Amino acid sequence: MLVRPKEGILDPQGEAVGGSLRRLAFPVTQARVGRLVELELETTDAVAARAQIERMCAELLANPLIESVEIQLEGDV
Amino acid sequence: MLVRPKEGILDPQGEAVGGSLRRLAFPVTQARVGRLVELELETTDAVAARAQIERMCAELLANPLIESVEIQLEGDV
């Protein structure tokens, strides 16, 4: 699962990374920093897996006010 | 770019996420947490872009001792 700061939301970590890279003379016009969360689930059903991950995001893994979540399934699902 | 803790390297953030999810009764067997870094570069040449990103990783963005990096290019490259 990829968790990104939403468009228009301040991303201080991305600003810091972008600034540091430009100071190192890398031609970076924008940098955004998010999280990668990789989970192994017991279910092998894609619909169930997606529903579980959406509940995990709502309860723990992401802040829907400021973050957007992209769910990618792989393996046996 | 996706930055993951290398296989076999302790991932305390992933352990914490996995433990919290299990306490919330989610059937998660493993959780790993990494970083997502999205960069906009001035170049539109894929080979140049990849070479730049590899240098950025070596100089700033990742610790090759404990992290592995997966580079994905998109857009005009």
Side-chain angles (χ1 to χ4, degrees), chain A residues 26-39:
Chain A
F26 289 109
V28 173
T29 50
Q30 208 198 15
R32 307 277 285 170
V33 175
R35 295 194 301 287
L36 165 70
V37 183
E38 294 182 315
L39 302 171

Side-chain angles (χ1 to χ4, degrees), chain B:
Chain B
M1 162 194 351
L2 298 173
V3 183
R4 296 179 171 87
K6 275 188 179 166
E7 205 59 45
I9 294 287
L10 199 67
D11 172 21
Q13 208 180 345
E15 303 268 312
V17 165
S20 297
L21 288 172
R22 283 188 286 271
R23 275 190 292 282
L24 291 169
F26 288 109
V28 173
T29 49
Q30 208 197 17
R32 307 278 285 172
V33 175
R35 295 194 302 288
L36 165 70
V37 182
E38 293 182 315
L39 301 171
E40 284 181 23
L41 304 180
E42 286 174 9
T43 182
T44 54
D45 177 75
V47 174
R50 190 172 290 271
Q52 279 178 9
I53 294 170
E54 283 170 0
R55 280 180 40 232
M56 291 180 207
C57 287
E59 292 188 33
L60 185 79
L61 297 177
N63 179 343
L65 293 176
I66 60 170
E67 293 173 325
S68 63
V69 174
E70 179 185 343
I71 296 173
Q72 297 173 346
L73 300 176
E74 53 186 56
D76 302 333
V77 292

Side-chain angles (χ1 to χ4, degrees), chain A residues 3 11 17 27 30 34 37 39 47-48 50 55 71 76:
Chain A
V3 183
D11 172 20
V17 165
Q30 208 198 15
V37 183
L39 302 171
V47 174
R50 190 171 290 272
R55 280 180 39 232
I71 297 173
D76 302 333

